[in-house]
């Protein structure tokens, strides 16, 4: 029987049971409180795209019929849900996969009202890298990708779609055709060879390699989406470009004092790593990923 690490390295993802029903209800109550008051959008047209990384304010939830993506660790008022991001089951599995001394680099929620149609183009999480600097060795088996991304839904869902085993190889010719010349996003609505949904029960987490070809898609959400979304890397290795997602300038001493001791420690570890690795643009350089090795 394969270990979680072996399955993750081969397939690019694993699914793990994380939350009990009381824990699901607990976090669902907190999330619903954060998203109150509920606002029903009057315009429910299906958009040509549904990009999420817009720096949304939680108070704006529901004003549009789309999925919202809220970063939490830099938003005062979100402290009641922060303990979700140091769940011992999650941390144990992630450490087994990528190594010890985890640094958190994303703690967010994905939320949408029932009736929302959601479609995000197929992509790898390399939007931070200029397209002309994206090279095939970034997706090689030889390169250790020091990052994981996690979806932990509080309701049953299948919004994540993936191409299994695509995380440690370049695109195939058929995949390049689907991307239509882009190295960032395929056009919304384009089908990807080998793409499949990842059905999750409430309380199950999918832990996946950010280099996996994936998309978000739900034709129409029958129940409100309420998903915890998080990312980590191991301090035993240099971070990837995903590490720089948090806006560190918002982690002021005054804000850090608002956090509980565990999250305060985690944020201080994040800031120390940022001081050690200040330049995101270094992370996709060959000598950063293969120190002391000549490029082929």
């Amino acid at each position: 029987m394969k270990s979680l690490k072996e399955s993750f390295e081969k397939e690019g993802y694993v699914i793990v049971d994380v939350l009990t029903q009381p824990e699901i209800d607990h976090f669902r109550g907190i999330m619903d409180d954060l998203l109150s008051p509920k606002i029903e959008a009057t315009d429910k047209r299906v958009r040509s795209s549904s990009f999420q990384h817009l720096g949304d304010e939680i108070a704006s939830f529901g004003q549009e019929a789309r999925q919202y993506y809220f970063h939490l660790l830099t938003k005062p008022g979100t402290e009641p849900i922060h303990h979700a991001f140091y769940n011992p089951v999650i941390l144990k599995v992630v450490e087994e996969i990528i190594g010890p001394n985890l640094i958190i680099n994303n703690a967010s929620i994905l939320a949408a009202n029932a009736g929302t149609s959601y479609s995000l183009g197929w992509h790898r999480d390399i939007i931070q890298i200029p397209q002309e600097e994206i090279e095939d060795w970034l997706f090689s088996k030889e390169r250790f990708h020091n990052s994981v991304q996690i979806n932990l839904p509080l309701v049953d869902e299948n919004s994540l779609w993936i191409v299994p085993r695509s995380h440690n190889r370049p695109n195939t010719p058929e995949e390049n055709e689907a991307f239509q010349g882009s190295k960032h996003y395929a056009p919304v609505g384009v089908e990807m060879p080998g793409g499949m949904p990842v059905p999750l029960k409430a309380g199950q987490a999918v832990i996946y390699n950010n280099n996996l070809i994936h998309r978000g898609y739900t034709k129409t959400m029958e129940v409100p989406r309420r998903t915890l979304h998080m990312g980590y890397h191991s301090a035993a290795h240099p971070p990837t470009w995903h590490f720089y997602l948090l806006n560190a300038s918002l982690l002021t001493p005054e804000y850090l004092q608002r956090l509980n001791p565990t999250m305060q420690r985690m944020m201080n570890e994040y800031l120390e790593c940022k001081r050690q690795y200040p330049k995101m643009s270094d992370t996709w350089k060959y000598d950063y990923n293969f120190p002391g090795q000549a490029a082929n």
Side-chain angles (χ1 to χ4, degrees), residues 268-286:
N268 282 323
E269 289 170 349
Y270 178 90
L271 291 170
E272 177 55 36
C273 189
K274 190 78 181 292
R275 284 188 282 270
Q276 187 177 358
Y277 298 97
K279 292 176 62 179
M280 179 174 65
S281 58
D282 286 343
T283 62
W284 56 83
K285 292 179 179 177
Y286 187 90

Side-chain angles (χ1 to χ4, degrees), residues 10-268:
K10 182 177 181 180
E11 303 294 334
Y13 76 105
V14 291
I15 296 173
V16 181
D17 293 328
V18 175
L19 300 179
T20 63
Q21 190 59 52
E23 290 171 326
I24 293 167
D25 296 340
H26 167 71
F27 286 116
R28 177 71 189 269
I30 296 173
M31 193 181 295
D32 284 346
D33 286 344
L34 287 174
L35 299 175
S36 294
K38 304 295 187 298
I39 302 171
E40 186 70 19
T42 56
D43 181 358
K44 294 190 176 182
R45 290 176 296 171
V46 177
R47 309 296 180 182
S48 59
S49 64
S50 183
F51 291 97
Q52 306 168 76
H53 301 267
L54 304 173
D56 292 328
E57 292 300 325
I58 291 178
S60 69
F61 176 74
Q63 292 177 3
E64 297 180 27
R66 65 178 180 84
Q67 177 171 268
Y68 288 77
Y69 182 110
F70 300 117
H71 297 298
L72 300 183
L73 295 183
T74 51
K75 290 187 184 296
T78 66
E79 295 86 358
I81 205 168
H82 285 182
H83 59 299
F85 303 105
Y86 48 88
N87 178 282
V89 178
I90 289 284
L91 298 183
K92 181 176 183 297
V93 171
V94 174
E95 285 198 343
E96 180 181 338
I97 291 172
I98 61 171
N101 304 323
L102 299 181
I103 305 291
I104 191 168
N105 55 53
N106 191 358
S108 307
I109 54 178
L110 306 169
N113 285 328
T116 301
S117 297
Y118 167 51
S119 185
L120 187 66
W122 290 97
H123 61 284
R124 303 178 192 262
D125 288 330
I126 50 177
I127 190 69
Q128 299 96 328
I129 308 176
Q131 296 201 52
E132 65 275 10
E133 297 180 39
I134 297 171
E135 299 191 45
D136 284 350
W137 60 260
L138 287 169
F139 316 114
S140 66
K141 292 181 180 180
E142 293 72 31
R143 176 183 170 272
F144 174 64
H145 188 68
N146 185 23
S147 183
V148 296
Q149 187 160 243
I150 301 164
N151 285 358
L152 174 55
L154 305 178
V155 299
D156 295 357
E157 69 159 52
N158 63 349
S159 289
L160 177 68
W161 291 60
I162 65 169
V163 178
R165 305 185 185 185
S166 61
H167 58 297
N168 56 12
R169 59 160 177 77
N171 292 348
T172 65
E174 293 78 15
E175 288 164 353
N176 279 330
E177 184 176 350
F179 274 103
Q180 296 185 21
S182 174
K183 291 188 176 182
H184 282 159
Y185 281 94
V188 170
V190 168
E191 293 305 317
M192 185 64 64
M196 55 171 268
V198 182
L200 297 172
K201 296 291 186 183
Q204 286 188 320
V206 56
I207 301 169
Y208 59 104
N209 187 309
N210 306 69
N211 278 348
L212 203 67
I213 297 175
H214 62 284
R215 70 168 177 176
Y217 173 78
T218 308
K219 184 174 181 181
T220 305
M221 294 181 187
E222 296 181 1
V223 296
R225 189 179 194 195
R226 300 289 186 268
T227 295
L228 296 159
H229 180 68
M230 55 198 90
Y232 305 88
H233 77 267
S234 168
H237 307 276
T240 68
W241 49 94
H242 311 291
F243 164 66
Y244 301 83
L245 184 63
L246 290 179
N247 184 348
S249 68
L250 298 177
L251 296 172
T252 63
E254 294 76 20
Y255 176 68
L256 292 176
Q257 285 300 313
R258 295 177 58 108
L259 306 180
N260 70 39
T262 300
M263 187 54 72
Q264 200 173 108
R265 173 184 58 78
M266 293 175 82
M267 289 296 89
N268 282 323

